[in-house]
Amino acid sequence: SIFYSPNATLELTADGVQNGTEIPLTFSKSGPGGDVLQRNPYLNGYSAFKIDAKDFAKIPDAVKGQVAIVVRDDNSKIVDVTGVQLWGVLDALYPYDGQLGVTWDGSTPTLSVWAPTAQSVNLNLFESSDSSNAQEFPMQWDSKTGVWTVTGKADWKSKFYLYEVNVYVPSNGKIETNLVTDPY
C-alpha cells in the first residue's frame, strides 16, 4: 500500500502506519508493461503494482506531502517501509513543455515555475539585492501542468526576486518554507 500525509505526520507503529491515508496497491502479473516499459526499459523484470482507478484522484494530494510504501506479508504483518521516488508520477501527472521563468508580453512580466510538489508558492520581489522588505505575491497553481504563475506590472523590470516555496522535504521529513532562486 501507499500511505501519504499532506502535513507530514506519518508514523510507523507496531500496528502499522498511523496518521495517513492509504491507497491500496494490486500486484500486476504482467509487470510494468506498455508505455511505462518503453519509457523505462531498465524496469524489465521488476515487480509492478497498480493503483485502482477509483484512487487516481488521491494522487495529486499524495505527491504534495509525505509518501511511503508499506510491504506486508500474507498475514498482513508489515515487513518493510520505504520512501518513494516521485519523478515518474510527476512527469505523467504534470506534463508541461511551455516557457518557464520570466516571460514578457510587452512590458508585462509573467513568472512561472514548475513545482508540482509545492503546497504553495509566493513570489518575493525586492527593490535591491538586499532581500529585506520584500513584497509578496501569491502565485496561482495550474493543476493540469504543475506550474505556479504570477503576472506582474511593468515596474517589476530589473527588480530582484525569489520564490517562497512551501513543500515537503524528504531529508528532514517536514513541510518547510524555502526561499529559492528561479531555476530557469
Side-chain angles (χ1 to χ4, degrees):
S1 291
I2 295 173
F3 280 84
Y4 71 95
S5 170
N7 53 1
T9 58
L10 291 182
E11 183 181 345
L12 184 60
T13 68
D15 297 325
V17 175
Q18 303 294 318
N19 306 323
T21 300
E22 182 175 6
I23 301 174
L25 297 172
T26 304
F27 177 69
S28 172
K29 291 179 184 177
S30 62
D35 62 336
V36 172
L37 192 55
Q38 285 178 341
R39 285 191 316 269
N40 307 283
Y42 60 89
L43 294 177
N44 190 29
Y46 281 85
S47 297
F49 297 85
K50 298 191 179 201
I51 296 172
D52 191 291
K54 70 178 174 33
D55 290 321
F56 285 174
K58 296 176 183 175
I59 297 172
D61 286 337
V63 300
K64 287 181 174 282
Q66 184 181 26
V67 182
I69 296 288
V70 174
V71 180
R72 294 184 178 102
D73 65 15
D74 292 338
N75 297 320
S76 296
K77 181 182 175 194
I78 292 178
V79 294
D80 199 6
V81 177
T82 188
V84 179
Q85 293 184 13
L86 297 174
W87 62 267
V89 174
L90 298 177
D91 287 346
L93 279 178
Y94 303 110
Y96 185 73
D97 62 0
Q99 289 193 318
L100 296 167
V102 181
T103 57
W104 295 88
D105 182 6
S107 62
T108 304
T110 298
L111 291 89
S112 302
V113 61
W114 189 76
T117 60
Q119 295 185 357
S120 66
V121 180
N122 294 314
L123 175 75
N124 286 335
L125 192 67
F126 310 96
E127 292 293 327
S128 70
S129 61
D130 174 10
S131 62
S132 61
N133 299 320
Q135 287 182 283
E136 193 171 285
F137 299 92
M139 298 181 76
Q140 299 303 306
W141 163 251
D142 182 342
S143 62
K144 290 184 178 30
T145 64
V147 174
W148 295 84
T149 304
V150 64
T151 299
K153 299 178 183 173
D155 69 350
W156 286 16
K157 186 172 183 172
S158 299
K159 291 193 177 177
F160 296 81
Y161 68 96
L162 293 170
Y163 294 120
E164 180 184 270
V165 182
N166 192 31
V167 64
Y168 173 72
V169 178
S171 62
N172 67 12
K174 296 179 184 178
I175 305 295
E176 297 280 347
T177 300
N178 297 309
L179 282 175
V180 299
T181 58
D182 190 335
Y184 310 103

